C-alpha cells in the first residue's frame, strides 16, 4: 500500500538502505550530506520532493510522475472553487439606520 507509513523504500543515495516511509524524508536529508557526490547527480521531482532521480532522467520522470495528477487535480479544484465564488451573488444587506445621536 502506497500510504502505509511502515512500507520500506529504497534510498536513492545508497541502494542498500531500506527506510520506512514515515522516516524517509529525514533519511534523505541525512544521506544527502553523507553522499555529496551522489547528490550532485540527482534531481528533485517538482511534484514530490521524495522523488530523487538522475538528472538525465528528470524530464522522463516528470512526464510519468503519479504525483503530477494530484497537483493538477488541486489546481482544477481551486479553479472551480474560484468560479463558484464568482457565481455567488454579492450580499446586498445594509445596516439599518441608527437612531442614536451621540452629540
Amino acid at each position: 500500500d502506497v500510504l502505509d507509513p511502515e512500507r520500506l523504500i529504497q534510498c536513492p543515495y545508497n541502494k542498500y538502505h531500506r527506510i520506512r516511509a514515515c522516516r524517509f524524508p529525514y533519511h534523505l536529508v541525512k544521506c544527502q550530506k553523507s553522499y555529496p557526490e551522489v547528490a550532485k547527480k540527482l534531481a528533485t521531482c517538482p511534484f514530490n520532493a521524495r522523488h530523487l532521480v538522475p538528472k538525465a532522467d528528470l524530464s522522463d520522470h516528470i512526464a510519468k510522475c503519479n504525483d503530477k495528477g494530484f497537483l493538477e487535480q488541486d489546481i482544477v479544484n481551486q479553479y472551480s472553487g474560484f468560479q463558484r465564488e464568482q457565481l455567488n451573488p454579492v450580499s446586498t444587506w445594509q445596516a439599518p439606520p441608527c437612531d442614536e445621536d451621540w452629540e
Side-chain angles (χ1 to χ4, degrees):
D1 181 20
V2 177
L3 299 176
D4 180 11
E6 297 300 316
R7 82 180 192 288
L8 296 177
I9 302 174
Q10 181 177 320
C11 174
Y13 298 106
N14 183 329
K15 67 180 182 178
Y16 298 107
H17 292 174
R18 307 255 309 148
I19 302 91
R20 291 178 309 160
C22 61
R23 298 289 308 154
F24 195 67
Y26 306 104
H27 180 84
L28 286 178
V29 171
K30 183 181 127 200
C31 247
Q32 182 181 22
K33 293 175 185 174
S34 299
Y35 298 95
E37 291 304 313
V38 177
K40 289 179 188 176
K41 298 175 186 175
L42 297 177
T44 304
C45 169
F47 305 114
N48 187 335
R50 296 178 183 190
H51 297 169
L52 295 167
V53 296
K55 288 182 179 180
D57 298 339
L58 183 61
S59 60
D60 186 48
H61 173 83
I62 289 172
K64 297 176 182 176
C65 182
N66 292 334
D67 291 333
K68 177 172 64 172
F70 296 123
L71 183 64
E72 290 171 343
Q73 188 59 48
D74 284 347
I75 291 170
V76 168
N77 290 343
Q78 286 178 356
Y79 180 73
S80 63
F82 175 75
Q83 284 182 322
R84 280 192 299 273
E85 289 174 12
Q86 297 299 320
L87 295 176
N88 289 339
V90 177
S91 175
T92 57
W93 181 86
Q94 294 180 354
C98 182
D99 294 333
E100 296 179 11
D101 184 10
W102 287 73
E103 293 186 21

